[in-house]
Amino acid sequence: MTDQDQRWGIIGGTGVTSLEGLEIKERREMSTPWGAPSAPLVVGEIEGASAVFLPRHGDPHRIAPHEVNYRANLWAMRELGVTRIIAVNAVGSMHGSMVPGSLVLPDQLIDYTWGRGHTYYEGQLEQTEHIDFTFPYCETLRQKMAESARRHGLPCTAGGVYGCTQGPRLETAAEIVRLERDGCDIVGMTGMPEAALARELELDYACLALVVNWAAGKTAELITMDDIRRNLEAGIGHVGQVLRDLMQA
Ligand code: HPA
C-alpha cells in the first residue's frame, strides 16, 4: 500500500470538535455492531490527503470520557477505510518540562480506567487473541510528528508516559503523587481503551497530547476550567500545524 492509498483518521479531543483545513465531502451517520459512534464521521480531504474526522466527545462536546463508545468509534473509522489514526488528547502534566500549551508525544501508557468497553474479544467467541501491547503507539507516526514539531520550532516533548484515569473528575494531589511514582508524566482520561482497541483492529495509532494544565497538587493553585480553556487556545494551533504536516507528507 502506498501513502496515497492510506486514509487518515483524526480523533479530536476536548476543544477539538472540528479540523481546520479539512475540506468536507460528506458526513456519515454510522451504526456498528458495538453501537453508535460519538458523532457523524466527517469525511474529507486535508492537504490533498483523504481523512476522516471524529470528535471523541461528540459535537457539541457532551459525552464524558467514561461514556465514550470507543469500540464504536474505532470500528466506524475502520469501516470507512481508515488505516492510521492520530488521537488528539488534552492532558495534565506532572513533568516540569511538559508545560501547559505544549505538545507531548507519549511512547508508553498506564491504564487506570475501569468498567469501559475495552476489547472486541467479548461474548461467544470461537477464539480469543491476546494482542501484543508492549509498545502501545506507532513509532513511525510518533517520529513523523516529532519531526514536524522540530521543523516548526513548536514546544514538544517526544516521549513520556500517559496515565489514563477514569474521570470525569480530576485527580487528588495524592493520586497524582502515586501516578508520578508509577512513572507517569502526563495524565488524561481518554487515552484508553482507545489505543488498545486500535491495536486489536490492527490500525496504526499514535497520541498527540496537548498539555492544558499542571496536574493536581503540582502548583499552589486549584485547577480551573478557565485555565484549561486558555491553555487549549494557546496550544491548539500547534496541534493543527502537526496534523497538516503529517497529511502533506
Ligand atoms: N487529569 C486528567 N485528565 C485531564 C487533565 C488532568 O489534569 N487535564 C486534562 N485532562
Side-chain angles (χ1 to χ4, degrees):
M1 209 186 278
T2 68
D3 260 17
Q4 265 67 40
D5 300 326
Q6 305 232 21
R7 186 174 243 188
W8 287 99
I10 310 293
I11 303 180
T14 298
V16 189
T17 47
S18 63
L19 190 56
E20 203 196 320
L22 181 69
E23 211 179 288
I24 299 172
K25 304 267 188 235
E26 57 173 335
R27 285 175 204 274
R28 291 284 296 271
E29 194 92 48
M30 304 205 33
S31 65
T32 80
W34 305 95
S38 298
L41 281 79
V42 183
V43 181
E45 271 187 21
I46 181 164
E47 303 290 339
S50 179
V52 175
F53 175 75
L54 179 60
R56 186 187 285 115
H57 298 282
D59 184 13
H61 187 300
R62 62 187 170 82
I63 309 170
H66 63 293
E67 290 188 324
V68 170
N69 190 339
Y70 298 94
R71 286 189 291 203
N73 286 352
L74 290 166
W75 192 274
M77 284 208 150
R78 194 184 62 162
E79 287 278 296
L80 293 183
V82 165
T83 51
R84 47 192 178 178
I85 294 180
I86 303 298
V88 181
N89 299 84
V91 296
S93 168
M94 290 82 106
H95 193 290
S97 64
M98 301 177 185
V99 302
S102 74
L103 303 174
V104 182
L105 304 167
D107 56 355
Q108 277 296 332
L109 64 80
I110 300 179
D111 186 9
Y112 301 91
T113 68
W114 45 271
R116 301 181 180 192
H118 67 287
T119 178
Y120 294 106
Y121 295 106
E122 199 173 275
Q124 301 298 312
L125 300 174
E126 281 172 17
Q127 203 184 339
T128 298
E129 297 268 333
H130 300 281
I131 53 156
D132 177 83
F133 205 43
T134 312
F135 301 106
Y137 301 113
C138 170
E139 192 55 26
T140 309
L141 293 179
R142 289 189 57 256
Q143 292 299 337
K144 283 186 179 173
M145 291 195 282
E147 248 169 63
S148 155
R150 243 192 322 268
R151 193 155 4 108
H152 294 284
L154 303 178
C156 178
T157 310
V161 180
Y162 177 120
C164 190
T165 56
Q166 177 73 351
R169 66 166 176 83
L170 295 165
E171 296 70 37
T172 65
E175 285 170 334
I176 291 299
V177 171
R178 174 186 159 206
L179 261 64
E180 282 185 285
R181 223 185 293 126
D182 284 353
C184 297
D185 300 301
I186 53 176
V187 57
M189 301 174 191
T190 50
M192 281 295 282
E194 202 173 82
L197 291 166
R199 182 64 55 84
E200 284 189 354
L201 294 181
E202 299 184 344
L203 302 170
D204 291 340
Y205 177 99
C207 166
L208 174 55
L210 171 60
V211 179
V212 296
N213 58 281
W214 290 114
K218 298 305 290 178
T219 67
E221 284 88 48
L222 300 182
I223 301 167
T224 69
M225 286 308 290
D226 275 352
D227 287 341
I228 288 182
R229 267 191 286 274
R230 195 160 350 99
N231 290 318
L232 251 175
E233 274 165 30
I236 207 66
H238 306 330
V239 170
Q241 180 66 258
V242 169
L243 290 177
R244 283 192 301 278
D245 260 22
L246 266 185
M247 312 286 137
Q248 251 168 12

